[in-house]
Amino acid sequence: QKSDPGFGFIFSVAPVFIIPSIILLFFYGISYFTLNKSFKTALLFPFYFWIFLIITLGMSFHNTVGIIEALSGRNSPFMRTPKFNIRIKGENWKKNKYLSRKLSYIPFVEALLSTYFLGCILAELYSGDVVMLYFHVMLFFGFGINAALTLSK
């Protein structure tokens, strides 16, 4: 923003995008508090909701790939939900034909996106333009968590 004043309008409007997060917090919070009426739950819900938002933001690239594959007519694991066909206790699901054994490129792209947003965070802290810091922190952790969990399997 400081290096190019032309972006001033964008940075002045950016905090408005926090409002949907607050609206969703109240929307889900009211229904959650209706079911769980403890004070401890009331204090922890905003944290749990923030984690939920982080994970769903991190899944955005994965879901985009699925949508593009579906629109292009390509068969992919997104075509159907794996059914493990377990009927009795002790049956093994690990050799199911719907489980993919090969590693996809998606977690590597998510790791790159996480690294990119870490760079955004550092640049914002260095420059003092912290308007988008809230979103970049969420995206950094979201893509990083999803990549780490996928690569750890």
Side-chain angles (χ1 to χ4, degrees):
Q1 178 183 358
K2 291 177 184 175
S3 62
D4 189 351
F7 289 114
F9 174 74
I10 293 171
F11 282 97
S12 65
V13 176
V16 171
F17 294 107
I18 294 175
I19 294 171
S21 299
I22 295 168
I23 291 170
L24 286 173
L25 177 72
F26 282 110
F27 177 78
Y28 286 111
I30 290 169
S31 60
Y32 189 77
F33 297 138
T34 303
L35 297 174
N36 306 306
K37 297 181 181 187
S38 73
F39 183 71
K40 181 181 176 185
T41 303
L43 292 176
L44 290 176
F45 179 76
F47 173 73
Y48 291 146
F49 184 73
W50 194 60
I51 298 297
F52 164 74
L53 286 179
I54 287 171
I55 300 298
T56 55
L57 281 172
M59 290 172 42
S60 62
F61 179 73
H62 190 266
N63 292 340
T64 302
V65 170
I67 291 168
I68 291 171
E69 287 177 349
L71 290 174
S72 66
R74 181 171 173 244
N75 287 334
S76 71
F78 289 99
M79 292 299 288
R80 70 178 302 251
T81 304
K83 305 294 185 225
F84 296 121
N85 199 23
I86 296 177
R87 286 180 248 136
I88 59 173
K89 187 176 182 177
E91 281 187 311
N92 192 352
W93 56 269
K94 294 184 180 183
K95 294 183 180 179
N96 189 285
K97 67 180 180 177
Y98 295 110
L99 291 175
S100 177
R101 300 280 184 238
K102 65 179 186 170
L103 189 59
S104 171
Y105 67 93
I106 293 175
F108 298 106
V109 174
E110 289 173 337
L112 283 173
L113 286 168
S114 182
T115 305
Y116 170 77
F117 287 112
L118 176 62
C120 290
I121 292 167
L122 295 175
E124 287 168 340
L125 293 174
Y126 178 76
S127 69
D129 289 332
V130 293
V131 175
M132 297 298 290
L133 186 64
Y134 171 74
F135 297 108
H136 291 153
V137 167
M138 289 175 61
L139 288 163
F140 164 70
F141 281 113
F143 286 122
I145 289 169
N146 285 340
L149 289 175
T150 304
L151 292 173
S152 69
K153 290 185 178 183

